[in-house]
Amino acid sequence: MASSSDFFVRDSGPAVAPSGPAAGSAFTPNVTGHQRGTPAPKCEPHCAFVLTHHPNRWGVQGGKIRPILGRMPLVSGIGGCEDGPNGTVKAGTARNNTESKGWTLIPYDSLPKSQAHRGSYLYSLKDSGRPDVILPYWARAYAGSTALRADLDLKYEFLDHLVSSGVVPEVPTYVIERCLDDAKARFERAADKAQTVPSWKPKAKAIGDEVKVLEKELKARAVEPVAVGGGYTPETSGV
Amino acid sequence: MGNEVTLTSFANELATEQLAGVVALLLADRGALPNHPAIIEYANAQQGGSATVKASALGLMGYDLPAATAEGSSISNTALSDATASLTIGKKGKVYTATSLARLLDPTGTLNSQVFAADAVASGMAWDLYQIAQLMDNFSTTTGTTGTDASAATILDAITALEIAKVPGPYLSIMHPRLYADIRDDIALNSGGAVQWNADSQAMLSIMHGLGAQPRLFGVDVMTSTHCLDDSTDVWGGVFGRGAIIYGWASPSVLDLSSDQVVLVGRYLFDRIRTALADTTGWAMHQYTGVVELIDAAGVSMQAGNS
């Protein structure tokens, strides 16, 4: 990049222009209290955590049935976490509490191939001046803003990878049935509302699409009863 | 003309600024949850021998129904069901320190033990709320749809799920203010029938409470907190009844009567620290608290799009 002194240098001439404006360089007054550089994101603090999955938590996301992940916060005092040596957090008890309730902890390196270089699905905003903000890699924070937004393509790629790699087992059929019941109830309410409130029409349509996704998935599976047994006749008299 | 007495020429006789005489508070999430019946409090783990407290729930008082038995035959033993979770007490603290010169010149009256003691209690309770809010997105039952605004149905569905799960009331909800705003919008703009004329709806719409305690909604005590998760796609909250959350704390004893130390409201340790050589005074607070989820089915998480 050319510097201001380069600008005035001629092949055979002196280092300083013989006439005209004197050489100068960029100058920013050092005014106390004024912002210098990019401001740090202003989002709420986000503690470190481990992503978790529960067999009950599924939903239609991005037109497909995908797991709704939970998280195990890594803060001493929360959920069974304790202070460890040298500022670390001991999470053994928290892990027991979490797993005993049916959750699976998702290892930090469970990453799709395209993201394997990251080494972890979490990243810190330390370099942006917010060491207290730990986010999953698909979450975006913005300089000077409280907003957090997700790159949904990255998020869905991650969720699909968890299922395809077996870290998260396939969605059970009974969960799809429950989701379908729930979506149908929501659709009926939304469709009713859309009759009188036009702004609800796109919402009703979105929930209608959700119903279609669930129905399609259910149809694609040969639905078997959960348990198959012999016939049962209660022992009664007089019936 | 000249030699007027101006602010510049009179600068040596003036302060740089004059005080308004009013000290406001910076914005913060200052909510507190003092003893709501939906939260089980394990009071004072002091001298319990461990920072880990085993909380349990038993299947008694109607959990198992009596079985029919034929006349003359013996009944079989009923298994006593239970659920447990381990709560750990974590240490949190902070300290403010002021020089004596700052205290001598402080015209606001802030730099004294009384103000920092009040701050210690408020901050301790705010941390307690933070801890509980961190658990709101972690119930295995969820209502609401990712990326979509919440509606009155989001909290009604949660209430229904709790009732079917046999969760006793009263229910408490802690939710992100964005989620609450979605529900309020829906009630204000789209509701009809019973919701439209419900006194809770009127209270919700007629007074803006800011962050923290809100009017009851459909019989649920509601608190909003920015400590509830914003996961970049959705904001979260939860509704729960008694049995979902255990809150525990321990309060250290005061060392001796002559120490500059006191336990505030029975649980927050507060010290005054004089450093004579530097002529500074510090006010430190420490708390030993923890929360854990006990019965997962006693709570429901709610989600709504974060934009």
Side-chain angles (χ1 to χ4, degrees):
Chain A
M1 198 169 73
S3 70
S4 53
S5 56
D6 291 339
F7 185 77
F8 293 103
V9 171
R10 299 287 179 275
D11 286 343
S12 56
V16 176
S19 62
S25 58
F27 175 73
T28 307
N30 190 4
V31 184
T32 308
H34 284 203
Q35 182 183 298
R36 298 174 67 81
T38 309
K42 291 182 177 171
C43 55
E44 290 290 321
H46 276 62
C47 62
F49 57 91
V50 184
L51 283 172
T52 55
H53 169 67
H54 194 281
N56 281 349
R57 299 226 320 190
W58 291 82
V60 176
Q61 303 174 62
K64 197 174 163 186
I65 305 171
R66 294 184 163 109
I68 300 170
L69 299 180
R71 68 190 173 124
M72 186 179 91
L74 295 173
V75 178
S76 73
I78 298 180
C81 289
E82 306 170 66
D83 290 313
N86 306 321
T88 57
V89 176
K90 279 165 70 180
T93 306
R95 183 180 187 138
N96 286 347
N97 284 335
T98 305
E99 290 182 338
S100 68
K101 289 183 171 63
W103 295 85
T104 303
L105 269 61
I106 296 171
Y108 289 118
D109 58 358
S110 298
L111 291 161
K113 246 182 201 166
S114 65
Q115 304 297 327
H117 61 278
R118 294 178 183 276
S120 167
Y121 52 69
L122 295 184
Y123 78 104
S124 160
L125 291 186
K126 192 172 69 179
D127 295 343
S128 304
R130 291 296 305 274
D132 57 335
V133 178
I134 312 288
L135 297 170
Y137 69 83
W138 56 84
R140 299 277 176 270
Y142 301 92
S145 168
T146 57
L148 286 179
R149 294 290 178 266
D151 182 326
L152 290 177
D153 289 337
L154 286 179
K155 182 179 178 180
Y156 295 154
E157 182 195 32
F158 177 75
L159 295 177
D160 292 343
H161 165 75
L162 292 182
V163 179
S164 63
S165 64
V167 174
V168 169
E170 285 275 343
V171 53
T173 303
Y174 74 91
V175 172
I176 303 178
E177 287 170 339
R178 198 208 59 224
C179 289
L180 180 59
D181 278 352
D182 168 63
K184 278 180 174 171
R186 283 188 288 118
F187 176 68
E188 283 164 14
R189 283 194 300 236
D192 275 355
K193 226 169 193 175
Q195 299 292 317
T196 50
V197 184
S199 64
W200 268 76
K201 280 182 183 165
K203 283 185 193 173
K205 188 188 172 304
I207 303 173
D209 291 344
E210 209 178 305
V211 170
K212 282 179 197 160
V213 169
L214 292 160
E215 280 177 339
K216 193 178 166 194
E217 178 64 30
L218 212 51
K219 213 179 236 179
R221 296 183 181 206
V223 181
E224 293 282 338
V226 174
V228 179
Y232 174 72
T233 308
E235 286 176 22
T236 56
S237 58
V239 175
Chain B
M1 301 291 279
N3 293 328
E4 289 93 347
V5 178
T6 65
L7 279 177
T8 311
S9 68
F10 202 53
N12 287 340
E13 285 70 35
L14 294 172
T16 311
E17 295 152 341
Q18 64 168 307
L19 275 175
V22 176
V23 179
L25 292 173
L26 289 175
L27 303 179
D29 198 338
R30 296 191 171 86
L33 282 170
N35 306 327
H36 191 280
I39 298 169
I40 298 175
E41 185 176 345
Y42 181 80
N44 210 347
Q46 184 187 357
Q47 290 167 347
S50 172
T52 303
V53 178
K54 188 93 159 174
S56 56
L58 284 175
L60 286 174
M61 308 300 166
Y63 183 84
D64 295 304
L65 295 179
T69 43
E71 185 182 7
S73 63
S74 303
I75 53 169
S76 310
N77 275 328
T78 301
L80 182 58
S81 304
D82 69 347
T84 63
S86 296
L87 180 148
T88 52
I89 305 289
K91 173 179 175 287
K92 290 287 173 287
K94 67 172 182 175
V95 61
Y96 294 102
T97 301
T99 63
S100 282
L101 191 59
R103 286 197 305 125
L104 286 168
L105 301 178
D106 169 29
T108 66
T110 305
L111 304 178
N112 62 63
S113 297
Q114 287 82 0
V115 169
F116 286 109
D119 171 78
V121 174
S123 302
M125 289 188 167
W127 177 255
D128 292 342
L129 172 65
Y130 172 88
Q131 293 184 103
I132 296 172
Q134 294 304 308
L135 300 179
M136 288 300 100
D137 53 298
N138 268 340
F139 297 113
S140 67
T141 308
T142 62
T143 66
T145 309
T146 181
T148 307
D149 289 351
S151 67
T154 307
I155 189 167
L156 287 170
D157 286 347
I159 294 167
T160 305
L162 290 177
E163 286 169 345
I164 292 170
K166 314 176 188 79
V167 182
Y171 297 154
L172 172 62
S173 175
I174 305 172
M175 61 175 94
H176 194 282
R178 163 65 58 193
L179 202 158
Y180 179 76
D182 284 352
I183 295 172
R184 184 173 59 200
D185 283 356
D186 187 43
I187 286 174
L189 305 173
N190 306 325
S191 67
V195 172
Q196 185 178 7
W197 305 114
N198 184 287
D200 289 349
S201 306
Q202 306 298 316
M204 190 184 201
L205 302 176
S206 57
I207 307 168
M208 294 302 123
H209 292 253
L211 201 62
Q214 304 295 333
R216 296 190 97 204
L217 181 59
F218 306 134
V220 176
D221 295 321
V222 177
M223 173 162 276
T224 53
S225 171
T226 51
H227 299 318
C228 288
L229 177 66
D230 174 350
D231 69 6
S232 78
T233 312
D234 296 303
V235 288
W236 290 80
V239 188
F240 61 97
R242 193 166 176 82
I245 304 286
I246 304 268
Y247 163 70
W249 53 273
S251 67
S253 303
V254 172
L255 291 172
D256 59 66
L257 291 176
S258 63
S259 65
D260 273 355
Q261 191 178 55
V262 66
V263 177
L264 300 169
V265 295
R267 67 183 69 168
Y268 308 122
L269 189 66
F270 183 68
D271 287 87
R272 190 185 71 137
I273 309 145
R274 270 295 297 162
T275 308
L277 294 180
D279 197 11
T280 60
T281 307
W283 295 273
M285 71 82 72
H286 291 95
Q287 67 183 106
Y288 298 82
T289 53
V291 297
V292 74
E293 181 189 297
L294 177 58
I295 303 172
D296 176 58
V300 172
S301 295
M302 301 183 292
Q303 65 180 141
N306 73 344
S307 56

